[in-house]
Amino acid sequence: MDLVVRTPRFPSPGETLIGLGFQTFAGGKGANQAAAIGKLGGKCSLLAKVGKDSFGQALIASLIQAGVNTENVIEDPHEATGVAIITVDQSGQNTIVVAPGTNALLTPEEVQVGFLDATFDVVLAQLEIPLEAVLAASQFSDARKFILNPAPARDLPNELLQRVDYLTPNETETQILTGIYPSDPTSCREAAQVLLRKGVKNVLITLGAKGSYLCNIEGEKHFPSIKVQPVDTTAAGDAFNGAFAWFLASGKPVFDAIRLANITGALCTTKMGAQASMPSLSEVQAWF
Ligand code: ADP
């Protein structure tokens, strides 16, 4: 849950400052990506953990409203739901403190249980849960497609990268993972090669307004995005990832899934919020 307060300026240590307004927003990368799929009319189940508290209840309600199956969202009675405490000053800069809470407690065993009897075509994971849980998800994905959105970025073992069908870093995550900022075709290719050499099958870098870039052993391709007037870029990457996973799962050819994901990411930037700004299938199709 994102807890956002606007302030005239940031407080100094020890200072109490009166803020200008307080809002809560349902967030979390996994939840946002699931909500993106739900809003597109896709079928998805979120495997995650919240606390047995009011934020946990509100997050589950938001997912159900978006059309997400929440049977695999575990409620932990002993730990608080993960929150991000965000302050935004008048110039629009922010400071963010994340308290992972239950997100840090999702275990490989719980992931295993979630996968029992599950039927699925694609597994999409992020890094706001423990690496061991992500590794478990990659193992249980078996012959299905495993997409890893490496956000927030961190060092990843080759054991995990070798199981990834599509790795979807944004520009800064690409730099953290490879040491190369993907600013032009050459640096995109160089960064992707680093990841392909580590065993990733397809590298799909999101480039903000410039769209996205796919590279694998067969070749490379740049996919321009559509032109929009962004008002809030929060969760564009989550919209892209959810859409890509869903369109791939629903049988679209990869290039079409990427084009549709670009449109979903772009349309997400035209509305305020994270889960609230995910577009519907008809809105996306109108641009395709
Ligand atoms: P993140 O939110 O993780 O930083 P990006 O900014 O790369 O991710 O955005 C994800 C995708 O959303 C991009 O690949 C692109 O398709 C689309 N997108 C994001 N911002 C814009 C924009 N200003 N105009 C058009 N498309 C955008």
Side-chain angles (χ1 to χ4, degrees):
M1 183 66 85
D2 294 341
L3 312 180
V4 184
V5 63
R6 289 180 297 114
T7 67
R9 58 179 173 79
F10 296 122
S12 309
E15 183 183 6
T16 298
L17 201 63
I18 304 298
L20 303 172
F22 173 70
Q23 284 175 293
T24 59
F25 296 101
K29 291 181 194 300
N32 292 346
Q33 295 174 10
I37 296 172
K39 287 277 182 72
L40 290 169
K43 267 184 82 175
C44 90
S45 175
L46 178 67
L47 204 164
K49 191 181 264 191
V50 296
K52 239 181 170 24
D53 50 29
S54 58
F55 290 150
Q57 291 303 313
L59 290 171
I60 290 173
S62 174
L63 287 164
I64 290 172
Q65 208 195 344
V68 175
N69 179 329
T70 60
E71 276 166 33
N72 285 307
V73 178
I74 302 161
E75 290 178 76
D76 186 322
H78 305 297
E79 180 63 76
T81 298
V83 294
I85 316 283
I86 303 171
T87 51
V88 184
D89 79 0
Q90 269 173 335
S91 70
Q93 293 209 90
N94 61 24
T95 67
I96 304 178
V97 179
V98 171
T102 46
N103 288 333
L105 301 184
L106 190 67
T107 66
E109 293 73 28
E110 286 165 334
V111 172
Q112 183 172 18
V113 170
F115 274 75
L116 285 177
D117 303 325
T119 53
F120 55 88
D121 300 299
V122 168
V123 173
L124 168 61
Q126 322 70 26
L127 300 175
E128 284 187 334
I129 53 171
L131 196 57
E132 298 71 38
V134 178
L135 266 166
S138 73
Q139 281 159 359
F140 299 122
S141 301
D142 266 347
R144 319 300 166 83
K145 292 277 177 267
F146 180 65
I147 305 171
L148 178 60
N149 175 221
R154 49 163 294 168
D155 272 347
L156 295 172
N158 288 355
E159 181 196 2
L160 174 62
L161 291 172
Q162 283 156 8
R163 294 209 193 95
V164 174
D165 292 297
Y166 292 90
L167 189 74
T168 59
N170 68 9
E171 291 155 306
T172 47
E173 289 147 9
T174 300
Q175 182 172 34
I176 292 168
L177 290 173
T178 67
I180 300 165
Y181 190 87
S183 55
D184 58 17
T186 306
S187 48
C188 278
R189 186 177 313 126
E190 284 171 359
Q193 296 295 346
V194 171
L195 296 164
L196 292 179
R197 276 198 295 274
K198 290 185 178 181
V200 173
K201 293 183 195 66
N202 298 272
V203 178
L204 178 55
I205 303 175
T206 64
L207 303 166
K210 287 187 279 178
S212 48
Y213 165 86
L214 175 69
C215 189
N216 55 34
I217 52 162
E218 284 159 22
E220 59 177 355
K221 191 167 170 58
H222 173 241
F223 297 81
S225 192
I226 57 169
K227 279 223 170 346
V228 290
Q229 285 287 338
V231 295
D232 175 15
T233 58
T234 308
D238 294 334
F240 179 96
N241 276 281
F244 177 63
W246 166 244
F247 288 117
L248 207 59
S250 64
K252 295 269 189 236
V254 174
F255 288 4
D256 283 353
I258 296 173
R259 291 187 186 102
L260 288 157
N262 274 343
I263 295 168
T264 311
L267 293 179
C268 170
T269 71
T270 63
K271 290 183 202 152
M272 291 297 295
Q275 293 180 20
S277 63
M278 298 301 175
S280 68
L281 183 62
S282 56
E283 287 173 307
V284 171
Q285 277 173 333
W287 284 87
F288 189 59

